Amino acid sequence: MRHRIAVIGGGPAGLTFARVLHRHDHPVTVLERDPGPDARPPGGMLDLHEGLGQLALSKAGLLAEFQALSRPEGQAMRILDTDGTVLRDWQPRPDDLANPEIDRGQLRDLLLGSLDVQWGRGVTEVVPGTRDGVLVHFADGRQETFDLVVGADGAWSRVRPAVSSATPHYTGITSVETSLDDVDTRHPDLARLVGDGSMAVYGVNRSLVAQRNSGGHVKVYARFRAPLDWHTNVDRHMGLDAGLDLADVEAVRSRLLAMFDGWAAPVLDLLRHGTAFVHRPLYVLPVSHTWAHVPGVTLLGDAAHLMPPLGAGANLAMLEGAELAESVVAAPGPGDLDEAVRAFEEQMWARAGKWAKITTAGLERLVSPDPTEAIARWDQVQPS
């Protein structure tokens, strides 16, 4: 029997789910609200772990292609003091393939392959338990029914309300992202500062992280503790005025430079030369987010367990997508499908809960009143 299956969301979770089903000749409908694959910037690098993201790609038959595209040298990590002193400089071994980096855009294209994605199909609501199955309402007014709807549509999932009333909450930490292009030619000193992988500087309740992507592109993330409305209200703790227009590039640059005042000039040059700034408050779901099983609907990735962006989220999402697809393939009938999804959810919740605790504690240490906590955290996770 071929179940009618839809996955909502064309990110790593949804595409991995679809690719594994496709590999087993099982039809699946991929629904993505973006009008096309290049509608938005794909974001920074991802490090795919051997037992998580790489395992998912193996299940999809794409591991060799990933290894050809990935950057093992991107595993390098350098930590500087605020005065520019190098405190740590970890370099991967030539044969180290534990967590190689890959551009999100390259990963997306790898997973897309020959999949037939329905672009521009924004979902507004998912209604389980109808006579014909799970009813999906679209932004254009159309409706379709499926035997299984998989929500892989991110932090603000439109599928999640069908199974859970949980909504993401603000962590108290905000990230402002910028980037530099053609860094090796235009900013060779900064290219050397960042190195082949990532560079981080930790101060009191704030950090600055730069990450090399392929093609001479560097992403820079300024993170700091602040109220959600930090840019519109006076923050007496930071000594900043109100009324920052986040669309004003130079005003944001000036504000960030003031927030990191006193840090080494080469570090601040990462902000001085940034081309644009994107405001990204960090939200999470409750650490142990679960729900009462709802026949015909389930969640993957950030829709199920949004956690701090410390390298686990995409890896978990991809492995979940692969495992759910294998469970679907192994379920011959409608009743078997529901039991397979229920068993998958139990497994997902247990693993995601552990990682949510790890990443939540990690974020608290990486943006901390005591910068030595951040360095100690890295000492624990980096190979000696």
Side-chain angles (χ1 to χ4, degrees):
M1 177 178 289
R2 288 292 185 256
H3 313 288
R4 299 173 300 166
I5 297 173
V7 58
I8 314 300
L15 292 180
T16 303
F17 173 71
R19 276 306 293 261
V20 174
L21 283 181
H22 182 74
R23 191 183 189 197
H24 290 277
D25 297 320
H26 196 299
V28 57
T29 301
V30 183
L31 302 164
E32 168 56 51
R33 67 178 181 179
D34 284 346
D38 299 314
R40 289 181 293 160
M45 300 287 285
L46 290 172
D47 61 316
L48 296 192
H49 304 182
E50 274 185 316
L52 296 172
Q54 290 186 57
L55 177 57
L57 289 173
S58 178
K59 292 176 179 291
L62 298 172
L63 186 58
E65 289 90 336
F66 162 75
Q67 291 171 341
L69 290 169
S70 65
R71 299 178 57 250
E73 68 274 16
Q75 297 170 99
M77 178 67 190
R78 179 178 295 157
I79 299 178
L80 274 59
D81 200 348
T82 56
D83 64 4
T85 303
V86 177
L87 302 176
R88 301 286 190 278
D89 195 356
W90 290 288
Q91 298 296 322
R93 300 184 308 274
D95 60 344
D96 187 354
L97 298 176
N99 306 294
E101 303 271 354
I102 186 171
D103 282 12
R104 285 179 182 265
Q106 291 177 324
L107 178 63
R108 175 202 59 206
D109 293 342
L110 176 62
L111 289 169
L112 272 173
S114 59
L115 288 176
D116 182 15
V117 176
Q118 295 186 20
W119 301 99
R121 300 297 308 278
V123 170
T124 58
E125 186 182 14
V126 171
V127 182
T130 72
R131 183 182 63 182
D132 296 324
V134 181
L135 181 63
V136 177
H137 293 265
F138 295 95
D140 61 7
R142 286 184 286 176
Q143 302 176 359
E144 290 186 48
T145 55
F146 299 91
D147 299 315
L148 175 64
V149 173
V150 178
D153 50 342
W156 306 102
S157 170
R158 295 301 183 93
V159 182
R160 189 190 301 125
V163 299
S164 171
S165 61
T167 56
H169 63 270
Y170 178 51
T171 61
I173 296 172
T174 282
S175 180
V176 178
E177 173 190 319
T178 189
S179 58
L180 294 83
D181 290 314
D182 198 15
V183 67
D184 298 288
T185 301
R186 298 175 63 186
H187 308 289
D189 290 343
L190 292 182
R192 286 189 291 270
L193 183 74
V194 174
D196 289 330
S198 297
M199 182 220 70
V201 187
Y202 298 101
V204 176
N205 287 327
R206 64 202 64 191
S207 68
L208 199 62
V209 178
Q211 181 189 54
R212 181 180 282 271
N213 290 226
S214 62
H217 187 76
V218 169
K219 291 282 188 183
V220 181
Y221 306 92
R223 290 177 179 161
F224 48 89
R225 291 187 180 273
L228 189 57
D229 61 353
W230 66 276
H231 56 289
T232 58
N233 289 324
V234 174
D235 188 332
R236 301 185 188 281
H237 175 69
M238 289 186 174
L240 302 173
D241 296 328
L244 176 66
D245 180 2
L246 292 173
D248 185 335
V249 172
E250 294 309 317
V252 174
R253 190 192 318 278
S254 178
R255 176 66 61 88
L256 291 176
L257 288 171
M259 289 172 61
F260 291 87
D261 184 45
W263 289 30
V267 173
L268 295 184
D269 280 344
L270 292 165
L271 299 175
R272 291 191 180 99
H273 296 296
T275 55
F277 295 92
V278 182
H279 183 227
R280 300 190 189 280
L282 301 185
Y283 287 85
V284 294
L285 282 168
V287 166
S288 298
H289 179 229
T290 63
W291 55 88
H293 174 72
V294 175
V297 184
T298 194
L299 306 174
L300 298 174
D302 287 350
H305 48 68
L306 180 65
M307 59 186 71
L310 298 184
N315 278 277
L316 290 172
M318 291 173 65
L319 184 56
E320 291 159 8
E323 290 176 341
L324 178 58
E326 290 180 335
S327 298
V328 167
V329 170
D336 300 304
L337 176 64
D338 188 57
E339 286 306 310
V341 172
R342 188 192 299 267
F344 160 79
E345 289 173 340
E346 295 286 346
Q347 176 179 306
M348 173 179 63
W349 293 334
R351 182 172 54 211
K354 293 177 183 178
W355 277 102
K357 290 177 183 177
I358 291 170
T359 54
T360 298
L363 183 64
E364 289 297 308
R365 297 180 73 183
L366 291 177
V367 188
S368 165
D370 181 2
T372 63
E373 279 293 308
I375 300 172
R377 188 261 181 187
W378 279 110
D379 284 338
Q380 290 174 349
V381 302
Q382 285 289 338
S384 57

